[in-house]
């Protein structure tokens, strides 16, 4: 078995601040994802990456940057935090080569963001 | 593009009762369908998935789901719920050529004594 580790678990920022979230996986999976979870809105995809140094935009990429410098890690940057923003950011990975969406996703436990 | 709708934001059932959580999908071709569960302060875990074949698929912990092409549905069922089944359940859809899964808004299940 493997595990996905997200850091930090809790992140408190100020309006306009640049904030970075990190994700590590030891499944040796090709594809990694960042989803945002808002109450009542389910999960929405921000970015995904099918291999090292690859980045693909999801449905909610505006206001975010991502980076995948190694196969095992995927980071997400909130470029300018919005006041009163609260959300959970979930990192996931799958074995899918080429990013096929038909494979099972394995999730981390999330980073909870609060912007004051 | 594919999409899923979970019409029930919250469902409350008594322990030992049967359960059905609804999921409707929108996709022109044959979809790949998933149910995930999220326990408090945890990530999502897959319960079951459907690709093709028998429309009734079995998952972990006694859960099953039935695919219906005519109804565009993939409802989750359990014959007898336990208090530990209290969680948020998400339905997701993709395709073999699609690059990622799209999720519904989730259904929060509360099992009461």
């Amino acid at each position: 078995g493997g595990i996905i580790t997200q850091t930090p678990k809790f992140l408190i920022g100020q309006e306009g601040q640049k904030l970075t979230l990190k994700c590590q996986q030891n499944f040796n999976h090709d594809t990694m994802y960042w989803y945002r979870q808002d109450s009542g809105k389910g999960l929405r995809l921000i970015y995904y990456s099918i291999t090292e140094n690859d980045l693909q935009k999801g449905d909610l990429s505006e206001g975010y940057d991502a980076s995948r410098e190694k196969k095992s890690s995927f980071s997400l940057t909130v470029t300018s935090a919005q006041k009163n923003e609260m959300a959970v950011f979930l990192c996931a990975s799958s074995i899918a080569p080429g990013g096929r969406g038909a494979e099972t996703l394995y999730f981390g436990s999330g980073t909870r963001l609060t912007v004051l | 593009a594919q999409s899923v709708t979970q019409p029930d934001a919250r469902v409350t059932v008594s322990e030992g009762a049967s359960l059905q959580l609804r999921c409707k999908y929108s996709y022109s071709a044959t979809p790949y369908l998933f149910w995930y569960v999220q326990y408090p302060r945890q990530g999502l875990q897959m319960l079951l998935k459907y690709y093709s074949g028998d429309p009734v698929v079995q998952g972990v912990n006694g859960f099953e789901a039935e695919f219906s092409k005519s109804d565009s549905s993939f409802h989750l069922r359990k014959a007898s719920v336990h208090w530990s089944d209290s969680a948020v359940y998400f339905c997701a859809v993709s395709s073999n050529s699609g690059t990622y899964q799209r999720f519904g808004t989730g259904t929060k299940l509360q099992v009461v004594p």
Side-chain angles (χ1 to χ4, degrees), chain A residues 35-100:
Chain A
Y35 282 90
R36 174 178 167 133
Q37 182 177 16
D38 293 278
S39 179
K41 293 186 179 178
L43 278 69
R44 291 177 290 173
L45 184 72
I46 305 172
Y47 267 98
Y48 68 101
S49 167
I50 63 173
T51 189
E52 189 176 318
N53 294 317
D54 174 76
L55 294 173
Q56 306 286 338
K57 292 183 178 181
D59 298 324
L60 202 68
S61 61
E62 188 170 337
Y64 301 93
D65 287 328
S67 173
R68 185 144 182 226
E69 296 178 354
K70 295 190 300 183
K71 185 177 182 178
S72 61
S73 66
F74 194 29
S75 63
L76 180 73
T77 298
V78 180
T79 56
S80 179
Q82 301 299 302
K83 189 172 175 63
N84 297 323
E85 181 176 7
M86 285 183 65
V88 176
F89 292 83
L90 293 170
C91 177
S93 71
S94 80
I95 198 171
R100 285 190 309 126

Side-chain angles (χ1 to χ4, degrees), chain A residues 27-42:
Chain A
F27 288 101
N28 198 34
H29 284 169
D30 290 311
T31 309
M32 296 184 74
Y33 306 81
W34 276 107
Y35 282 90
R36 174 178 167 133
Q37 182 177 16
D38 293 278
S39 179
K41 293 186 179 178

